[in-house]
Amino acid sequence: MYNGKKVLVTGGTGMIGVQLVKQLLEAGAIVRVASLDDPSRIGKEVEFMRGNLMEWDFCKTITQGMDYVFHLAGIKGSVGIGNKKAASFLVPHLLMNTLMMEAARQSEVERYLFTSSIAVYNPVEVFVEDEAWEGSPHPTDKYAAWAKRMGELQAEAYKVEYGWDKIAIVRPANVYGPYDNFDPKTGMVVPALIGRVVGGENPLVVWGDGSTIRDFIYSEDCAQGMMLALEKGANCTPVNLGSGQRTSIKDVVEAVKSGFDKPPEILWDTEKPSGQPIRLMDMTRAKEMLGFTPKNSIQEGVKKTIEWYLSNTDLAEKRYNVFYKNKFIE
């Protein structure tokens, strides 16, 4: 399906994007990447276009002549930042998602993938795709979550009015891997823990008691799921991309510890909140519709991530961090 096709990946220099670009090239695609990152994060065999996806003219330019579009670009950060910088999460997502999908429609792109999020779900333990709209997102996720929900609704509206039903909607779980944001101040749990260990923090203080259950997926597996979604699920039907495995924060911490020769002592701060006790994805649709099953366990994925980071610290830092560039963090 991808051989010889012209494919645009927004955010193609990011954690999932790099893996997706690699797999697209292996499948014979002609790849264009749009990003604000340093182009050294991708190979020279890719066409790189730097620009702002909140600008209509740029979105229209990059989508012209493309057969397929994978829209991955977005703002990713910890819960604390997501609440404090509410407008900075909500507005860019709304603009990027709306402009990119409209530009792709006007450019007559054949197939389009919209990257939604696990955050769109209301606070239940197991996330089933068709139940997402039965309540509001968790308060800690609401700004980014509502923006992602609007992207899904936009796809549905295009199907209703224009008959463009070749849009895949994926809801990734907690994704981690090489090229992630390892900054302890702004990164998500896995890369932030790795960054703190590399930075010499000992004891390593972790909020809660480690019992919180989350669903994690390695970036390489997520990229594979996205390619399958565009091929087999481009019908405006949301699909979860996770592991479906119950992984506790304690499991994550132990996986991080095992990746270092001299791991730090762990200090659990039980006075701090742990968040929603369980957030797990139902993977039935992904298995039945896409034939998708992730290959990497949390132990394998974290080990690969640590090995990459220790060998590519300089490359990891060549990352457009919106929280610093826009002075969200001093």
Side-chain angles (χ1 to χ4, degrees), residues 116-132:
S116 187
S117 170
I118 190 174
V120 302
Y121 285 100
N122 51 307
V124 295
E125 291 189 355
V126 180
F127 300 147
V128 181
E129 288 93 342
D130 291 341
E131 299 173 2

PDB file of all heavy atoms in Angstrom, residues 116-132:
ATOM      1  N   SER A 116      -5.295  10.920  17.983  1.00  0.00           N
ATOM      2  CA  SER A 116      -6.037  11.371  19.151  1.00  0.00           C
ATOM      3  C   SER A 116      -5.245  10.991  20.400  1.00  0.00           C
ATOM      4  O   SER A 116      -4.011  11.005  20.372  1.00  0.00           O
ATOM      5  CB  SER A 116      -7.445  10.763  19.158  1.00  0.00           C
ATOM      6  OG  SER A 116      -8.233  11.311  20.186  1.00  0.00           O
ATOM      7  N   SER A 117      -5.899  10.618  21.481  1.00  0.00           N
ATOM      8  CA  SER A 117      -5.164  10.385  22.727  1.00  0.00           C
ATOM      9  C   SER A 117      -5.976   9.545  23.703  1.00  0.00           C
ATOM     10  O   SER A 117      -7.224   9.538  23.664  1.00  0.00           O
ATOM     11  CB  SER A 117      -4.827  11.735  23.376  1.00  0.00           C
ATOM     12  OG  SER A 117      -4.327  11.564  24.685  1.00  0.00           O
ATOM     13  N   ILE A 118      -5.292   8.881  24.601  1.00  0.00           N
ATOM     14  CA  ILE A 118      -5.927   8.173  25.705  1.00  0.00           C
ATOM     15  C   ILE A 118      -6.668   9.161  26.606  1.00  0.00           C
ATOM     16  O   ILE A 118      -7.608   8.797  27.317  1.00  0.00           O
ATOM     17  CB  ILE A 118      -4.874   7.377  26.514  1.00  0.00           C
ATOM     18  CG1 ILE A 118      -5.548   6.443  27.531  1.00  0.00           C
ATOM     19  CG2 ILE A 118      -3.885   8.310  27.200  1.00  0.00           C
ATOM     20  CD1 ILE A 118      -4.564   5.536  28.258  1.00  0.00           C
ATOM     21  N   ALA A 119      -6.285  10.426  26.540  1.00  0.00           N
ATOM     22  CA  ALA A 119      -6.866  11.448  27.410  1.00  0.00           C
ATOM     23  C   ALA A 119      -8.332  11.741  27.102  1.00  0.00           C
ATOM     24  O   ALA A 119      -9.032  12.323  27.933  1.00  0.00           O
ATOM     25  CB  ALA A 119      -6.063  12.748  27.297  1.00  0.00           C
ATOM     26  N   VAL A 120      -8.821  11.334  25.929  1.00  0.00           N
ATOM     27  CA  VAL A 120     -10.200  11.661  25.565  1.00  0.00           C
ATOM     28  C   VAL A 120     -11.220  10.890  26.402  1.00  0.00           C
ATOM     29  O   VAL A 120     -12.397  11.255  26.443  1.00  0.00           O
ATOM     30  CB  VAL A 120     -10.478  11.397  24.071  1.00  0.00           C
ATOM     31  CG1 VAL A 120      -9.544  12.199  23.199  1.00  0.00           C
ATOM     32  CG2 VAL A 120     -10.386   9.913  23.738  1.00  0.00           C
ATOM     33  N   TYR A 121     -10.772   9.848  27.080  1.00  0.00           N
ATOM     34  CA  TYR A 121     -11.716   8.997  27.804  1.00  0.00           C
ATOM     35  C   TYR A 121     -12.191   9.614  29.117  1.00  0.00           C
ATOM     36  O   TYR A 121     -11.448  10.335  29.790  1.00  0.00           O
ATOM     37  CB  TYR A 121     -11.089   7.630  28.087  1.00  0.00           C
ATOM     38  CG  TYR A 121     -11.026   6.745  26.865  1.00  0.00           C
ATOM     39  CD1 TYR A 121      -9.847   6.602  26.135  1.00  0.00           C
ATOM     40  CD2 TYR A 121     -12.164   6.075  26.425  1.00  0.00           C
ATOM     41  CE1 TYR A 121      -9.797   5.796  25.007  1.00  0.00           C
ATOM     42  CE2 TYR A 121     -12.123   5.272  25.298  1.00  0.00           C
ATOM     43  CZ  TYR A 121     -10.940   5.137  24.595  1.00  0.00           C
ATOM     44  OH  TYR A 121     -10.905   4.348  23.468  1.00  0.00           O
ATOM     45  N   ASN A 122     -13.427   9.288  29.451  1.00  0.00           N
ATOM     46  CA  ASN A 122     -13.949   9.657  30.760  1.00  0.00           C
ATOM     47  C   ASN A 122     -13.349   8.724  31.811  1.00  0.00           C
ATOM     48  O   ASN A 122     -12.825   7.659  31.483  1.00  0.00           O
ATOM     49  CB  ASN A 122     -15.486   9.584  30.767  1.00  0.00           C
ATOM     50  CG  ASN A 122     -16.012   8.259  30.231  1.00  0.00           C
ATOM     51  OD1 ASN A 122     -15.653   7.841  29.138  1.00  0.00           O
ATOM     52  ND2 ASN A 122     -16.855   7.608  30.985  1.00  0.00           N
ATOM     53  N   PRO A 123     -13.379   9.105  33.094  1.00  0.00           N
ATOM     54  CA  PRO A 123     -12.672   8.342  34.137  1.00  0.00           C
ATOM     55  C   PRO A 123     -13.302   6.981  34.453  1.00  0.00           C
ATOM     56  O   PRO A 123     -14.105   6.837  35.373  1.00  0.00           O
ATOM     57  CB  PRO A 123     -12.743   9.272  35.349  1.00  0.00           C
ATOM     58  CG  PRO A 123     -13.059  10.607  34.818  1.00  0.00           C
ATOM     59  CD  PRO A 123     -13.905  10.371  33.607  1.00  0.00           C
ATOM     60  N   VAL A 124     -12.926   5.977  33.659  1.00  0.00           N
ATOM     61  CA  VAL A 124     -13.296   4.599  33.951  1.00  0.00           C
ATOM     62  C   VAL A 124     -12.007   3.785  33.986  1.00  0.00           C
ATOM     63  O   VAL A 124     -10.933   4.297  33.658  1.00  0.00           O
ATOM     64  CB  VAL A 124     -14.264   4.027  32.889  1.00  0.00           C
ATOM     65  CG1 VAL A 124     -15.591   4.763  32.926  1.00  0.00           C
ATOM     66  CG2 VAL A 124     -13.652   4.131  31.490  1.00  0.00           C
ATOM     67  N   GLU A 125     -12.095   2.533  34.384  1.00  0.00           N
ATOM     68  CA  GLU A 125     -10.877   1.731  34.508  1.00  0.00           C
ATOM     69  C   GLU A 125     -10.395   1.177  33.170  1.00  0.00           C
ATOM     70  O   GLU A 125      -9.198   1.164  32.889  1.00  0.00           O
ATOM     71  CB  GLU A 125     -11.102   0.580  35.506  1.00  0.00           C
ATOM     72  CG  GLU A 125     -11.244   1.047  36.948  1.00  0.00           C
ATOM     73  CD  GLU A 125     -11.237  -0.101  37.927  1.00  0.00           C
ATOM     74  OE1 GLU A 125     -11.222  -1.270  37.484  1.00  0.00           O
ATOM     75  OE2 GLU A 125     -11.233   0.172  39.148  1.00  0.00           O
ATOM     76  N   VAL A 126     -11.318   0.703  32.356  1.00  0.00           N
ATOM     77  CA  VAL A 126     -10.959   0.127  31.057  1.00  0.00           C
ATOM     78  C   VAL A 126     -11.584   0.968  29.949  1.00  0.00           C
ATOM     79  O   VAL A 126     -12.792   1.214  29.955  1.00  0.00           O
ATOM     80  CB  VAL A 126     -11.430  -1.336  30.950  1.00  0.00           C
ATOM     81  CG1 VAL A 126     -11.041  -1.909  29.585  1.00  0.00           C
ATOM     82  CG2 VAL A 126     -10.824  -2.176  32.068  1.00  0.00           C
ATOM     83  N   PHE A 127     -10.764   1.398  29.012  1.00  0.00           N
ATOM     84  CA  PHE A 127     -11.207   2.296  27.953  1.00  0.00           C
ATOM     85  C   PHE A 127     -11.623   1.517  26.709  1.00  0.00           C
ATOM     86  O   PHE A 127     -10.789   0.897  26.046  1.00  0.00           O
ATOM     87  CB  PHE A 127     -10.095   3.278  27.594  1.00  0.00           C
ATOM     88  CG  PHE A 127      -9.661   4.146  28.747  1.00  0.00           C
ATOM     89  CD1 PHE A 127      -8.333   4.554  28.864  1.00  0.00           C
ATOM     90  CD2 PHE A 127     -10.559   4.563  29.706  1.00  0.00           C
ATOM     91  CE1 PHE A 127      -7.933   5.371  29.917  1.00  0.00           C
ATOM     92  CE2 PHE A 127     -10.173   5.374  30.758  1.00  0.00           C
ATOM     93  CZ  PHE A 127      -8.853   5.779  30.866  1.00  0.00           C
ATOM     94  N   VAL A 128     -12.928   1.585  26.398  1.00  0.00           N
ATOM     95  CA  VAL A 128     -13.485   0.965  25.199  1.00  0.00           C
ATOM     96  C   VAL A 128     -13.867   2.078  24.235  1.00  0.00           C
ATOM     97  O   VAL A 128     -14.526   3.046  24.628  1.00  0.00           O
ATOM     98  CB  VAL A 128     -14.721   0.109  25.552  1.00  0.00           C
ATOM     99  CG1 VAL A 128     -15.289  -0.548  24.291  1.00  0.00           C
ATOM    100  CG2 VAL A 128     -14.357  -0.954  26.591  1.00  0.00           C
ATOM    101  N   GLU A 129     -13.472   1.950  22.982  1.00  0.00           N
ATOM    102  CA  GLU A 129     -13.590   3.052  22.023  1.00  0.00           C
ATOM    103  C   GLU A 129     -14.978   3.694  21.980  1.00  0.00           C
ATOM    104  O   GLU A 129     -15.110   4.915  22.019  1.00  0.00           O
ATOM    105  CB  GLU A 129     -13.215   2.564  20.612  1.00  0.00           C
ATOM    106  CG  GLU A 129     -11.737   2.308  20.405  1.00  0.00           C
ATOM    107  CD  GLU A 129     -11.332   0.867  20.667  1.00  0.00           C
ATOM    108  OE1 GLU A 129     -12.121   0.157  21.335  1.00  0.00           O
ATOM    109  OE2 GLU A 129     -10.253   0.452  20.214  1.00  0.00           O
ATOM    110  N   ASP A 130     -16.022   2.881  21.888  1.00  0.00           N
ATOM    111  CA  ASP A 130     -17.366   3.426  21.697  1.00  0.00           C
ATOM    112  C   ASP A 130     -17.951   4.064  22.955  1.00  0.00           C
ATOM    113  O   ASP A 130     -19.036   4.659  22.904  1.00  0.00           O
ATOM    114  CB  ASP A 130     -18.309   2.334  21.196  1.00  0.00           C
ATOM    115  CG  ASP A 130     -17.982   1.892  19.776  1.00  0.00           C
ATOM    116  OD1 ASP A 130     -17.280   2.652  19.072  1.00  0.00           O
ATOM    117  OD2 ASP A 130     -18.413   0.794  19.374  1.00  0.00           O
ATOM    118  N   GLU A 131     -17.239   3.958  24.068  1.00  0.00           N
ATOM    119  CA  GLU A 131     -17.750   4.508  25.323  1.00  0.00           C
ATOM    120  C   GLU A 131     -17.092   5.829  25.696  1.00  0.00           C
ATOM    121  O   GLU A 131     -17.408   6.409  26.740  1.00  0.00           O
ATOM    122  CB  GLU A 131     -17.549   3.495  26.453  1.00  0.00           C
ATOM    123  CG  GLU A 131     -18.290   2.176  26.224  1.00  0.00           C
ATOM    124  CD  GLU A 131     -17.962   1.118  27.262  1.00  0.00           C
ATOM    125  OE1 GLU A 131     -17.176   1.435  28.205  1.00  0.00           O
ATOM    126  OE2 GLU A 131     -18.467  -0.022  27.148  1.00  0.00           O
ATOM    127  N   ALA A 132     -16.205   6.327  24.845  1.00  0.00           N
ATOM    128  CA  ALA A 132     -15.422   7.519  25.194  1.00  0.00           C
ATOM    129  C   ALA A 132     -16.278   8.744  25.440  1.00  0.00           C
ATOM    130  O   ALA A 132     -15.971   9.574  26.310  1.00  0.00           O
ATOM    131  CB  ALA A 132     -14.404   7.814  24.096  1.00  0.00           C
TER     132      ALA A 132
END
